[in-house]
Amino acid sequence: MARVAVVTGGTRGIGRAICETLMGDGFTVIASYAGNDDAARAFTDETGIATYKFDVGDFDATQQACAKIAEEVGPIDVVVNNAGITRDGTLLRMSYEEWDDVMRTNLGGCFNMAKAAFEGMKDRKWGRIINIGSINGQAGQYGQVNYAAAKSGIHGFTKALAQEGARYGITVNAIAPGYIDTDMVAAVPENVLEKIVAKIPVGRLGQASEIARGVSFLAAEEGAFVTGSTLSINGGQHMY
Ligand code: NDP
């Protein structure tokens, strides 16, 4: 039977490309999303991939949704913690809610999903947890103390959980994308984006499919010896 992969925030952007690639690899793929029903419907129509709507930042909702997925589709073998948001602003302008929303979603979501899936992976002695970090978690970014802290936290979370999973055949890795051409980056003002692209040695934004290829590598059977690592896919913008 095909292994089951759950991709959070799988209906748009990078998550969508990850879903399509993992489906091509032979996984049974489930995409989660937060609230954009139209995008989710279009995604399912175009890909045939089922969606589940829940807030990954909500612990109880995530446990319930993952239990439902396990019951309706099968035990979760692969978790891709991709759901993420930005609430940018300098520290002096950032509200506590903007800090908290980003921490809950981007970092809390990884904990909530791992809690839901790890025990079953341990029992079955096989699992893959792949966390989408960010170049801005590695290097920091003006106006993003919330986002950089959450993404940096993902890299620590990855290394710690990798040590817990190793003896059970569970690998835990992170991917740190650079600037990728998605809705999230479309929200960056054009003059700022031009300056960002000028700093990318390969001279362009990345494509979502280029991140998905990294996920595919880590999710594969042959990925079993890679754990606790961070794969930077950023066009050479930050060499870490
Ligand atoms: P998008 O904004 O294009 O898509 C975000 C996805 O996450 C949507 O499916 C959205 O659902 C879902 N989502 C948002 N909040 C929640 C939540 N609370 N619970 C469940 N799902 C949620 O993002 P990208 O594809 O650009 O980014 C994907 C990941 O990659 C993020 O973690 C981001 O931080 C990271 N990243 C992106 C970079 C880039 O350049 N784009 C660079 C580095 C990292 P809905 O449609 O319902 O809103």
Side-chain angles (χ1 to χ4, degrees):
M1 230 173 73
R3 294 194 188 277
V4 175
V6 178
V7 181
T8 67
T11 53
R12 293 194 284 120
I14 293 172
R16 178 179 175 138
I18 294 170
C19 286
E20 291 175 336
T21 300
L22 291 181
M23 187 169 73
D25 290 345
F27 289 94
T28 298
V29 180
I30 299 297
S32 90
Y33 72 105
N36 190 332
D37 296 320
D38 290 343
R41 215 169 296 118
F43 166 81
T44 299
D45 287 348
E46 289 160 23
T47 63
I49 295 172
T51 62
Y52 285 70
K53 179 177 172 176
F54 61 95
D55 175 6
V56 292
D58 179 329
F59 181 79
D60 292 335
T62 302
Q63 305 315 300
Q64 283 159 20
C66 288
K68 200 164 171 232
I69 292 169
E71 193 187 313
E72 294 176 353
V73 184
I76 299 171
D77 299 304
V78 178
V79 169
V80 183
N81 284 312
N82 166 77
I85 57 170
T86 51
R87 300 282 184 270
D88 294 352
T90 57
L91 178 77
L92 292 180
R93 288 175 185 271
M94 188 178 291
S95 66
Y96 179 75
E97 285 68 33
E98 288 166 335
W99 164 265
D100 195 46
D101 279 354
V102 169
M103 293 303 283
R104 278 180 65 254
T105 306
N106 296 13
L107 185 55
C110 294
F111 175 81
N112 298 341
M113 286 297 297
K115 283 289 273 187
F118 195 84
E119 194 163 5
M121 292 176 175
K122 180 181 163 194
D123 292 345
R124 294 187 304 281
K125 302 244 176 315
W126 199 95
R128 300 281 185 268
I129 298 177
I130 300 159
N131 304 312
I132 305 300
S134 169
I135 188 173
N136 292 349
Q138 297 172 310
Q141 178 62 276
Y142 184 92
Q144 284 198 326
V145 292
N146 50 4
Y147 186 84
K151 291 298 188 180
S152 182
I154 284 181
H155 298 302
F157 175 86
T158 299
K159 289 186 241 182
L161 190 59
Q163 294 179 33
E164 295 185 25
R167 78 189 68 166
Y168 304 116
I170 304 169
T171 68
V172 188
N173 292 288
I175 291 182
Y179 285 81
I180 308 299
D181 193 6
T182 69
D183 294 345
M184 186 180 272
V185 164
V188 176
E190 207 175 313
N191 59 332
V192 177
L193 202 56
E194 273 170 21
K195 287 186 190 140
I196 290 170
V197 172
K199 287 188 189 144
I200 303 175
V202 304
R204 63 169 175 84
L205 295 175
Q207 295 301 312
S209 60
E210 294 172 310
I211 304 304
R213 181 52 56 206
V215 173
S216 166
F217 164 69
L218 294 170
E221 296 294 331
E222 296 80 1
F225 205 55
V226 185
T227 195
S229 74
T230 296
L231 176 58
S232 297
I233 305 179
N234 62 27
Q237 190 180 353
H238 181 66
M239 300 185 186
Y240 195 58

